[in-house]
Amino acid sequence: MEHVEHGFGPVWDAESRVLVLGSMPSPKSREAGFYYMHRQNRFWPVMATLFADPADPCDVPGDSPDSRQAFALRHHVALWDVIASCDITGASDSSIRNAMPNDIVPIVRGSRITRVLTTGTKAGQLYRRLIEPGLSAAGCAVPMIQLPSTSPANASMRLPQLVEIYRKAFADAGAIAKHD
C-alpha cells in the first residue's frame, strides 16, 4: 500500500453539463497525467460511441490527453475524481484507505452541471460519504447516478452493456448524445 496524491486537476469549463467522477486515477493514468489512460479501460470507447459524430472524422477522443480533453469539453463532459489523496495498492479500489476528497463545489457553481455520474461502486460510495454532504452544505446538491466501472477489472460487463447503461445515464442527465 502506498500513499498517492491525485496529481492532476479536473477537466471542465462553464459549458460542462455532466461531471464524471472516478475514484482515483490508476497508475497508468497518473503516469500519463490524464483520465482513463489504461489502454484496456473502456471509458473512451464508450464516450466515442455515445458522442462522436460519424460525419466528422476529427470528432474522436484520440489517444493523447490533449485530444481526449478537447473531446470531453466539446461534448460538455467534465472529468475528475472523488479522491484527492489516499492509501491504495496499485489500482485496486477495494484497497483504498484514508481517502481525502476533492472539492467539486467550485466546478458545480462555475458550470451548468446538473448531474454527477460516478464510475464504479467505490466512486459512488465515496461520493455519497465524502462529497455529497459538502455539496448540500454549500447549497449546490447535484443528483448522482452510479455507473459500472469501465475498468478491465470489471470483466463481467461487456462494452455493449456499458454503452447502453452510460447512454441512459447521459440521456437522463440531459447531455444527449448527438448520434444514438
Side-chain angles (χ1 to χ4, degrees):
M1 186 162 289
E2 69 176 304
H3 183 75
V4 174
E5 300 287 328
H6 190 281
F8 50 95
V11 170
W12 71 283
D13 64 18
E15 297 303 312
S16 297
R17 294 184 197 133
V18 175
L19 174 58
V20 177
L21 295 175
S23 55
M24 172 61 99
S26 71
K28 290 282 186 195
S29 292
R30 291 192 307 269
E31 181 182 305
F34 201 69
Y35 303 91
Y36 308 101
M37 292 301 283
H38 189 287
R39 64 181 181 78
Q40 293 178 325
N41 192 298
R42 295 157 301 168
F43 182 80
W44 293 108
V46 167
M47 293 295 103
T49 301
L50 296 182
F51 293 105
D53 180 351
D56 180 358
C58 295
D59 190 23
V60 295
D63 294 327
S64 73
D66 288 342
S67 65
R68 289 177 174 184
Q69 176 172 322
F71 183 85
L73 292 175
R74 188 166 49 253
H75 297 287
H76 310 293
V77 176
L79 303 169
W80 208 10
D81 289 297
V82 173
I83 303 172
S85 68
C86 67
D87 298 328
I88 189 170
T89 301
S92 171
D93 277 2
S94 64
S95 73
I96 292 173
R97 303 287 181 269
N98 304 313
M100 297 300 297
N102 279 312
D103 180 10
I104 71 167
V105 170
I107 295 173
V108 172
R109 284 192 172 147
S111 69
R112 298 171 55 197
I113 290 170
T114 59
R115 190 75 45 106
V116 170
L117 307 178
T118 58
T119 60
T121 303
K122 191 66 161 189
Q125 291 169 345
L126 291 169
Y127 176 86
R128 283 188 289 277
R129 190 179 63 167
L130 299 175
I131 292 185
E132 214 167 44
L135 283 174
S136 293
C140 54
V142 178
M144 183 270 285
I145 298 172
Q146 181 178 304
L147 297 171
S149 174
T150 56
S151 164
N154 183 13
S156 66
M157 186 76 55
R158 300 284 183 231
L159 183 60
Q161 293 170 293
L162 288 169
V163 166
E164 287 313 309
I165 292 167
Y166 276 63
R167 182 184 317 277
K168 181 176 181 344
F170 275 96
D172 289 350
I176 305 300
K178 287 191 223 174
H179 305 282
D180 290 339

